[in-house]
């Protein structure tokens, strides 16, 4: 390993690990292309967000406490998810307040980044050598937008994709209706929100809807599929790593 080479601990997140491994591979590849040494600990599992949002604070504390220990002293932490990054950056403070882990949670928060944020704001990258012959549109995932202030970073990276026409999405900052357990507990409201989002996406005539969170991607992809739409939903990392074809999705 080159002396002084920047090192990153890559936190793939539960849903990427279990359902979308290609997103994790794409994200790790993008980091490595920038000369970053990427480490993926075998015992890095979950940030605890699901239990935290459901109100099971004791379970969230146990899971997140394990995450704190695994990530201790491992340098910058990068996630392909605004929601999980937001959990660590902003909600670990609440979860671990007035506990022996409070200082560790604060220290971890200051070295945790979402993927596009790390590429653009930390590494200073605007062009990763991506190519796409077609039309792209971008949906802002709620946690990344509202907790982390993301949005411009992804658009900066997409603007550097050779051959792509990036078109604005009406209501790009409006929720797709997923919200984790919200989609289950408030199914009718979630469905109505999704229908509004799908109509906006289809109005762009895009080939691919791009987003930075696989939870939103799952919700939107399911809706587009049920409509038998030709538009496909893909993660930003997949597009930037040249893993998406306009014709094949």
């Amino acid at each position: 390993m080159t002396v002084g080479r920047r090192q990153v601990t890559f936190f793939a997140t539960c849903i990427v690990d279990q359902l979308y491994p290609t997103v994790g591979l794409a994200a790790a590849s993008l980091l490595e292309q920038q000369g970053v040494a990427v480490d993926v600990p075998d015992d890095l599992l979950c940030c605890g967000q699901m239990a935290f949002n459901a109100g099971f604070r004791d379970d969230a504390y146990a899971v997140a406490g394990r995450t704190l220990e695994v990530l201790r002293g491992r340098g910058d932490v990068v996630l392909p998810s605004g929601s999980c990054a937001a959990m660590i950056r902003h909600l670990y403070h609440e979860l671990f307040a007035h506990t022996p882990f409070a200082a560790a949670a604060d220290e971890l928060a200051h070295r945790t980044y979402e993927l596009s944020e790390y590429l653009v704001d930390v590494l200073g990258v605007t062009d990763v050598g991506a190519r796409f012959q077609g039309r792209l549109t971008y949906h802002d995932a709620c946690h990344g937008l509202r907790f982390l202030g993301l949005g411009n970073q992804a658009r900066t990276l997409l603007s550097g994709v050779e051959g792509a026409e990036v078109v604005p999405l009406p209501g790009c900052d409006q929720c797709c209706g997923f919200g984790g357990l919200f989609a289950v507990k408030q199914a009718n409201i979630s469905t109505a929100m999704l229908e509004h989002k799908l109509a906006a996406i289809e109005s762009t005539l895009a080939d691919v809807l791009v987003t930075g969170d696989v939870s939103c991607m799952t919700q939107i992809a399911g809706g587009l599929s049920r409509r038998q739409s030709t538009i496909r939903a893909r993660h930003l990392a997949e597009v930037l790593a040249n893993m998406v074809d306009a014709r094949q999705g």
Side-chain angles (χ1 to χ4, degrees):
M1 182 180 296
T2 304
V3 176
R5 185 181 182 189
R6 185 182 289 272
Q7 299 182 51
V8 156
T9 297
F10 182 66
F11 193 162
T13 77
C14 301
I15 190 170
V16 168
D17 180 62
Q18 295 297 314
L19 298 178
Y20 302 105
T22 55
V23 172
L25 292 171
S29 174
L30 289 170
L31 292 168
E32 289 174 341
Q33 287 173 21
Q34 305 308 317
V36 175
V38 179
D39 178 42
V40 185
D42 292 335
D43 48 356
L44 185 56
L45 302 174
C46 178
C47 68
Q49 180 185 185
M50 285 289 290
F52 182 87
N53 289 346
F56 296 102
R57 295 300 177 92
D58 290 343
D59 293 322
Y61 185 87
V63 173
R66 173 61 179 164
T67 298
L68 280 178
E69 288 303 312
V70 173
L71 293 176
R72 190 183 297 273
R74 286 185 177 267
D76 293 340
V77 178
V78 178
L79 305 91
S81 163
S83 61
C84 296
M87 175 67 187
I88 296 173
R89 279 252 291 270
H90 294 283
L91 297 178
Y92 271 22
H93 291 293
E94 178 181 341
L95 182 61
F96 292 109
H98 311 297
T99 75
F101 294 104
D106 181 69
E107 190 273 334
L108 177 59
H110 284 86
R111 55 184 172 88
T112 296
Y113 304 88
E114 183 269 348
L115 176 65
S116 68
E117 176 185 37
Y118 195 75
L119 288 171
V120 176
D121 296 347
V122 178
L123 300 183
V125 176
T126 58
D127 187 343
V128 296
R131 301 172 302 280
F132 183 85
Q133 294 300 319
R135 178 176 287 194
L136 304 173
T137 194
Y138 185 76
H139 161 72
D140 295 279
C142 291
H143 282 82
L145 178 66
R146 294 175 173 83
F147 272 95
L148 303 178
L150 303 179
N152 290 335
Q153 294 89 342
R155 289 177 174 83
T156 295
L157 292 165
L158 288 175
S159 69
V161 177
E162 182 181 347
E165 178 187 3
V166 183
V167 297
L169 173 64
C172 58
D173 59 346
Q174 295 176 12
C175 181
C176 68
F178 180 67
L181 292 175
F182 173 81
V184 177
K185 293 183 175 181
Q186 301 291 343
N188 290 338
I189 299 175
S190 172
T191 299
M193 295 171 72
L194 176 60
E195 289 300 311
H196 184 75
K197 176 63 67 175
L198 295 175
I201 293 170
E202 290 182 326
S203 75
T204 67
L205 302 179
D207 295 295
V208 174
L209 178 283
V210 184
T211 188
D213 239 306
V214 292
S215 53
C216 297
M217 187 182 81
T218 300
Q219 169 87 334
I220 293 171
L224 290 170
S225 177
R226 289 188 292 275
R227 284 184 176 221
Q228 297 185 327
S229 174
T230 59
I231 303 174
R232 297 293 177 262
R234 292 293 182 268
H235 192 278
L236 174 68
E238 295 176 293
V239 174
L240 296 178
N242 295 315
M243 292 185 176
V244 179
D245 182 271
R247 296 178 299 279
Q248 299 176 0

